[in-house]
Amino acid sequence: MNSPGGAFRGCVLAFALLLSSGTFVLASPHQDAVQLARGGDFERAVALLEAELSRDATNVALAADYVVILGWAGRREAAWANRWRLESPETPVYALRDIGAIGRDLKVPGEAAIFLGRAHRREPNDAALAGLYAMTLAEAHLFNEARGVIAHHQGAERRNPDFWFARAYIEELAGYYAEAVLAYREVLLLKADHADALERLAVNLLSAGAPDAARNAVRTGGSTVSAETSARIVRDAVAWRVRWGAVEARDPRDRYKATDRAIALIEREVANARTLGSDGAALVQY
């Protein structure tokens, strides 16, 4: 008969073999923290990771998830302040992408682009990452570099609306409004209800001095634009009619016809805006 002590030692040995074979793995505090964060319990997740980092500050994966989860928790400034933890060349691409996006949101595109560039060099065929990187470069006024990133994907992504949006955004920031308009139109051809393309198309048409084209684009578009942009369309259309009214008139008696049309346009648009409640406030105020 086996002794109780011998049975216990056998169980311990069997347990050790399970561990060494990988059949059974105990959860670590790091894994627990990730699961807590995925469940929305960010406070406990961050506390766990901070405790682990105090014991193992050089753990690259631990540091990466700490910074990422700070971002998930809405603590963007804290995440950005901890970006130094992501200096290792082994930092996961997802962490580089997240901290780059956070830097972009915090309006520091030059620094954000450094992290996104590191991610892009490791995953050069990721079109979504390339688009984010290119737009961030453009926000840092590095337009040629941004165009170079986009050019790398030009053939493969010609049917991708997000690719065209990135191209349009770069040209918009560079002040090439006609090129931006063409690219935003491509976005809408591929995805008529794109969340931002119609808004940006209208704004760029206004910047190019074409308020009537902006009005037509909005009227025929598959989505809506902000009240602010709607008000600017009317303002610019009215200003255009007043400015060029006298030039258009060949007979001096007709010189105020364009101004009268401008006044009528204001009255009509204000009446329409009043029916929109708070959404029309910007136009009524104007």
Side-chain angles (χ1 to χ4, degrees), residues 16-267:
L17 288 170
L18 282 172
L19 285 175
S20 64
S21 67
T23 305
F24 182 86
V25 179
L26 286 174
S28 70
H30 182 180
Q31 292 169 324
D32 288 343
V34 171
Q35 291 304 316
L36 285 169
R38 286 175 176 164
D41 193 346
F42 302 119
E43 186 175 344
R44 287 176 62 199
V46 167
L48 265 177
L49 291 172
E50 286 176 342
E52 287 300 294
L53 281 169
S54 70
R55 289 187 284 270
D56 188 6
T58 61
N59 187 314
V60 173
L62 191 64
D65 284 349
Y66 175 61
V67 173
V68 167
I69 289 170
L70 281 173
W72 291 0
R75 296 171 58 183
R76 296 182 304 170
E77 290 82 2
W80 187 246
N82 279 275
R83 64 192 182 278
W84 60 270
R85 297 182 184 275
L86 307 181
E87 294 300 327
S88 169
E90 297 178 359
T91 296
V93 168
Y94 67 82
L96 297 172
R97 181 199 301 258
D98 278 19
I99 198 63
I102 287 170
R104 184 180 179 222
D105 288 344
L106 294 176
K107 310 299 183 187
V108 282
E111 286 189 76
I114 294 172
F115 291 98
L116 292 171
R118 288 171 58 196
H120 177 64
R121 284 189 291 275
R122 286 168 57 186
E123 293 189 5
N125 295 321
D126 185 330
L129 174 59
L132 177 62
Y133 179 38
M135 289 192 290
T136 306
L137 285 169
E139 288 168 350
H141 296 174
L142 298 171
F143 301 116
N144 288 335
E145 291 87 340
R147 293 185 184 106
V149 173
I150 288 296
H152 177 74
H153 294 270
Q154 188 161 352
E157 299 299 325
R158 62 184 180 277
R159 302 297 298 171
N160 184 337
D162 293 331
F163 162 78
W164 282 102
F165 188 91
R167 282 191 62 178
Y169 186 73
I170 292 165
E171 299 308 332
E172 175 181 351
L173 293 187
Y176 291 96
Y177 303 121
E179 288 84 349
V181 164
L182 292 174
Y184 282 127
R185 288 193 187 280
E186 288 290 339
V187 176
L188 293 168
L189 286 174
L190 294 168
K191 193 175 190 301
D193 60 347
H194 191 283
D196 300 311
L198 183 61
E199 176 90 18
R200 301 319 310 162
L201 172 62
V203 167
N204 278 268
L205 284 167
L206 291 171
S207 296
D212 286 344
R215 291 179 71 204
N216 291 335
V218 170
R219 285 174 176 171
T220 59
S223 57
T224 58
V225 298
S226 67
E228 180 183 355
T229 297
S230 295
R232 185 181 166 193
I233 289 172
V234 175
R235 180 197 67 195
D236 286 10
V238 168
W240 190 92
R241 283 163 173 75
V242 171
R243 185 179 302 120
W244 293 101
V247 176
E248 291 177 352
R250 296 182 179 180
D251 187 325
R253 291 172 297 180
D254 296 334
R255 61 174 303 193
Y256 295 113
K257 283 188 175 180
T259 303
D260 291 340
R261 289 198 298 271
I263 293 170
L265 175 62
I266 293 172
E267 292 173 343

